[in-house]
Amino acid sequence: MAKMQADEAPSPSASSASPSLKRPEFVVEEYAEASLQQGKSLSQVHKELSIKVREVRQDLHDLINKRYEDFLALNTSLSGIDRTIDDVRPLLGTLTGEIKRTHEDFSAKLEYIDSRLAYRSAIREKKQMLRLFIDLSQLIDRVESILQESQLLSTASEGSSLEYIKCLERAAVDLGQIRYFVSKGSDYPFVQMAANKMQTIEETLHRALEVFLCSQIDRYLGGQHMDSGSLIACCLRTYSTLEEDGRAEEIMRNQLVRPFMLDLLVDRVSQNQLSGTCKGMGLDPKVFESIVHQILEFVRNVAVPLTNAIHSELLSPIYQHLGTRVFWQEVSASIISALPLVFVPGIPDRFHKNYLAARHLMDEFSRIFTLAAADTQANGENSGAGTKTSVLDSSCFAEFSRKWQLAAYFSICKKHVLSAILKDGGASQQSSPLKDDGAYAGTKYFSELHDDRKGGNGDEQHANAKMEKDKLDTIKRQYLLRRDWAARAVWATEYCWSSEIYLEPLGASFWHLTLQIVSWYEQMTDERISQLTAKDSSELAKNNTTGGPDTGELLDYIHDMYVLKHQLVAYAKSVIFKKLLQSTETDAVVYQRNSPNAAADQDGVATAETEAEAEAAVSGDAENLERDIVQRIEPLERTCSYALKNMGAAVVASSCSNLGSQIRRATSQFRHTNREPPTTPSLFISKLFAALRSIESQFLTTQSDNNNDVGGGGELDSSGMAGEQEFRDRTRAMLRAETCAGISQEMAKACTEALATISKTEASLQRLRKTRVYAGGSSGAASDRERSKKQQALDENALVPADVDLRGKKLSSDNDKIRRQIWLDVTEVGRIIGDHGAHAHGEYNNLVDTIAPLGPA
């Protein structure tokens, strides 16, 4: 028995190795996975499960013993349930049968009601069909009688025109009802027969309306404006009733506008020799302006009175855009078909003038009809006639605008601008950001943009070159510039935005070209400044000392950079910004998106990126334009700063080339000469800054004071003076800072070397004298000699020995006089640097602190 209990007792190791058996809920999958991971054998698993079964049984016995009364109540609470069920079953069967009988009765009644409703619906449908037949028959008879009446009126006198059009209008109203009935009962045979009659009526009515409208248009053109205008309005109302206003507008275009345009354009082409003046190079602007003028006269004298009469009679907004849908549509279509060369920029000057004339035509066209509509509304004759009509309200205007080859025009203008600014012998066209690979590589002038000359003999080219030089000299005088590159940049920028080539839809493109011009100037000037600063330091130092050509050229480029930046920023704020605001950006976007070559033509209108740049500039303020210009000149400013530092270093090198010998020469005057102690600095000190003063006097004065190479007489604007002021201030400050720091550093080195030499000489003499004193001395003298050697070593390494203090003393030795002279020279350098508003080098400041005991007080 004890052995069996031992076998049944749970194993401690098994219990500890199977935590899932201790949980209240037992999951077979988890237990099997845990056993598999632990590598248990089947006997171990069987033993653990046996223990779990015994534990579960024991828990069940304990629960029964604990709640024994509830366990016994499970049997007694269900007694008698079968008897209750048997008692209820017959009642439920009876209820089920009654429900089935009720359902059958209601189903029969519903079927009867549905059949009666279907019969009534069929009766109603037949009634409607009969009503439709009666109404349709009556309408057809009435329309036929109206048309017969109108035929009688058409043969009567002119005074019956109003009654005639009213008859046609009544027929149109009835025809609209006939169409409705035919569409509603298209499945009925008699309706299909009525459709044939309806088609005959439509043809008769359309023919009568067209004849009447054409006759009234002819009467209107003959001078009978008042009567014909009202009758034309009634005719258009009839077409509107028939929902065929487009057909009415087409008749008006063909009968009213097209004959005028054919007479005008065909006569111009044949009699004014348009074919001879064009020959693929564009239309003569005078001829096109004459055409535009006659079209506007036609609009004022014919179109506006007619549209006013129509708007005063019609309240419907259908014909509120007759100006664009009738007159402008036919005018633009006639110009496009008869004058295709007007849209071609064969000669940019002609294209520019023709485009401005076309924009004038569109603007005046829109303005005329807008004012006419506003007058009609102000008179109270038509509440809906005040709708404003703009150039972009109709697709006809956009289509006409897209016909103009603005991309090709801008490409030609860009090539002319490139050739003008790249024509400079000192410019590196190969590395220019505006380098163009076409046939315009620096061979033409801006004058070609003003006329149609294509070349010329040598005398003409010489005259062009002289004219260009005079223009550049004028720009340099006006804008305070000194070099041709800056003048060319100003010239090109102003020309891009001049009224001679600028077009509003190309505002973004011309702004992008302006930034390219600025980048070109920056790169060209940067290269030249880099070439000047890359020369040998000795050569540059010589030129700087003598005020040579390299110094003047370098400072001229730096001067022009500051002046040009201020001039371009002022021009961008005052001129470019206003023109960008006034430009029709929508035209440029529409043209670019619809042009098949917009993506491929690099010289065309601005790309999406550059146009977004221009839109961002316009959407913000003028400060964005200034930021773009400054960002493109910023690399050149850094190059100029480096060049000025290099120039300052060259000035220092030339001024301090023999500084050590000059100090030795100045101090040697007090050696064994018994001269009085010095009270003034050496003469060479002021000469150290002579090169800096020479550069400032020659190149860092105002243009008027300096009598610049181009001469006076130019008008000095505030922007140019601000640029000159910035050039003088920054250049003077940078040159002074670099030169003063360099000279003070060199002075500190030379003076340190001179003072160290004096200290070493004194220490050597003292060592010789003391050696004689201590020769043959005692052991105490030997120790004093050792201490003396240490003190002499310290004095040799010190610029001012510890026992030297000249403040308030009368100088007697030559070395003290020399030290005082060096002190005077060093302090004089500091005074001059202070007068220049600069700071000395750190080595110089340390030297000043060190030699303070050498001063007079």
Side-chain angles (χ1 to χ4, degrees), residues 84 255 526 544 605 608:
T84 303
Q255 193 70 18
D526 188 279
N544 286 330
V605 291

Side-chain angles (χ1 to χ4, degrees), residues 497-632:
W497 299 94
S498 66
S499 59
E500 298 174 359
I501 68 170
Y502 175 74
L503 295 176
E504 286 185 356
L506 297 175
S509 300
F510 277 109
W511 172 241
H512 180 60
L513 179 58
T514 301
L515 296 180
Q516 284 184 299
I517 294 171
V518 177
S519 299
W520 165 84
Y521 170 77
E522 182 274 329
Q523 182 170 339
M524 293 295 99
T525 307
D526 188 279
E527 289 182 2
R528 183 55 183 162
I529 292 177
S530 300
Q531 292 174 3
L532 293 174
T533 55
K535 290 187 175 182
D536 183 67
S537 59
S538 60
E539 180 182 356
L540 188 60
K542 180 180 178 181
N543 290 330
N544 286 330
T545 304
T546 60
D550 289 347
T551 302
E553 183 179 1
L554 180 60
L555 291 176
D556 283 350
Y557 284 122
I558 299 175
H559 166 271
D560 286 355
M561 183 270 295
Y562 285 109
V563 174
L564 181 65
K565 181 180 69 173
H566 282 269
Q567 295 286 6
L568 291 179
V569 168
Y571 188 77
K573 290 183 176 181
S574 61
V575 177
I576 298 177
F577 179 67
K578 293 180 181 178
K579 290 196 174 185
L580 287 177
L581 287 179
Q582 296 172 357
S583 65
T584 309
E585 294 294 335
T586 307
D587 284 350
V589 174
V590 170
Y591 177 81
Q592 181 185 3
R593 291 177 180 174
N594 290 274
S595 176
N597 299 323
D601 189 0
Q602 297 179 355
D603 292 331
V605 291
T607 60
E609 181 179 356
T610 58
E611 186 165 340
E613 183 181 11
E615 289 179 355
V618 174
S619 63
D621 50 25
E623 300 300 327
N624 293 328
L625 304 181
E626 177 182 1
R627 179 199 61 207
D628 293 339
I629 293 175
V630 172
Q631 284 179 353
R632 281 160 175 79

Side-chain angles (χ1 to χ4, degrees), residues 159-178:
S160 60
S161 297
L162 182 60
E163 297 178 2
Y164 175 74
I165 189 60
K166 287 184 177 180
C167 287
L168 296 181
E169 190 172 358
R170 292 199 307 271
V173 173
D174 292 340
L175 181 60
Q177 294 181 2
I178 292 173

Side-chain angles (χ1 to χ4, degrees), residues 369-396:
F369 278 101
T370 301
L371 293 178
D375 292 341
T376 304
Q377 183 183 19
N379 294 332
E381 297 175 355
N382 186 3
S383 60
T387 305
K388 184 177 180 180
T389 306
S390 69
V391 177
L392 299 177
D393 283 344
S394 174
S395 61
C396 301

Side-chain angles (χ1 to χ4, degrees), residues 115-388:
S115 63
R116 297 299 297 174
L117 290 176
Y119 176 75
R120 182 176 295 180
S121 177
I123 294 298
R124 187 182 295 109
E125 183 178 357
K126 291 179 181 180
K127 182 179 179 181
Q128 292 177 353
M129 183 177 63
L130 182 59
R131 184 73 240 178
L132 175 62
F133 175 76
I134 295 172
D135 293 341
L136 188 57
S137 178
Q138 291 177 353
L139 284 173
I140 292 175
D141 293 339
R142 187 167 63 187
V143 170
E144 289 178 347
S145 63
I146 292 175
L147 291 177
Q148 291 177 0
E149 181 183 356
S150 65
Q151 291 179 358
L152 296 175
L153 291 174
S154 64
T155 58
S157 62
E158 294 293 334
S160 60
S161 297
L162 182 60
E163 297 178 2
Y164 175 74
I165 189 60
K166 287 184 177 180
C167 287
L168 296 181
E169 190 172 358
R170 292 199 307 271
V173 173
D174 292 340
L175 181 60
Q177 294 181 2
I178 292 173
R179 287 176 177 175
Y180 170 74
F181 288 136
V182 169
S183 62
K184 186 176 181 181
S186 58
D187 297 335
Y188 302 132
F190 71 91
V191 174
Q192 296 176 359
M193 295 174 59
N196 297 330
K197 291 186 178 181
M198 181 189 68
Q199 184 176 1
T200 304
I201 293 173
E202 285 183 351
E203 294 175 355
T204 304
L205 183 58
H206 286 158
R207 185 165 53 252
L209 282 174
E210 184 174 353
V211 172
F212 182 79
L213 180 57
C214 293
S215 63
Q216 294 305 317
I217 289 175
D218 292 338
R219 291 185 61 214
Y220 179 82
L221 294 175
Q224 301 180 15
H225 287 186
M226 297 301 296
D227 296 339
S228 299
S230 60
L231 293 175
I232 290 173
C234 294
C235 191
L236 293 180
R237 182 167 55 240
T238 305
Y239 273 107
S240 176
T241 304
L242 295 173
E243 297 182 355
E244 294 185 0
D245 47 284
R247 185 170 182 175
E249 293 172 354
E250 182 181 1
I251 294 173
M252 292 185 67
R253 287 194 298 268
N254 297 336
Q255 193 70 18
L256 180 62
V257 187
R258 184 170 299 175
F260 166 77
M261 294 302 298
L262 289 177
D263 293 341
L264 176 63
L265 298 179
V266 172
D267 180 68
R268 289 289 179 177
V269 172
S270 60
Q271 298 182 10
N272 293 305
Q273 294 85 28
L274 286 181
S275 59
T277 58
C278 298
K279 291 185 179 180
M281 299 301 290
L283 181 67
D284 187 357
K286 294 181 180 179
V287 176
F288 189 68
E289 288 174 1
S290 175
I291 293 174
V292 169
H293 175 72
Q294 295 188 44
I295 292 174
L296 291 177
E297 288 297 320
F298 174 79
V299 170
R300 294 188 184 98
N301 299 329
V302 176
V304 172
L306 178 59
T307 54
N308 288 342
I310 293 174
H311 292 163
S312 62
E313 293 289 338
L314 299 180
L315 299 178
S316 174
I318 295 177
Y319 295 106
Q320 292 304 315
H321 297 287
L322 284 176
T324 55
R325 291 205 296 259
V326 173
F327 294 96
W328 175 254
Q329 184 174 342
E330 186 61 32
V331 167
S332 61
S334 300
I335 294 176
I336 292 172
S337 61
L339 303 175
L341 293 179
V342 75
F343 306 98
V344 179
I347 299 178
D349 184 60
R350 288 185 174 184
F351 180 86
H352 180 267
K353 293 180 180 179
N354 289 335
Y355 181 81
L356 292 180
R359 285 307 299 264
H360 174 69
L361 173 62
M362 289 188 286
D363 295 339
E364 281 296 306
F365 200 97
S366 176
R367 186 187 65 83
I368 289 171
F369 278 101
T370 301
L371 293 178
D375 292 341
T376 304
Q377 183 183 19
N379 294 332
E381 297 175 355
N382 186 3
S383 60
T387 305
K388 184 177 180 180

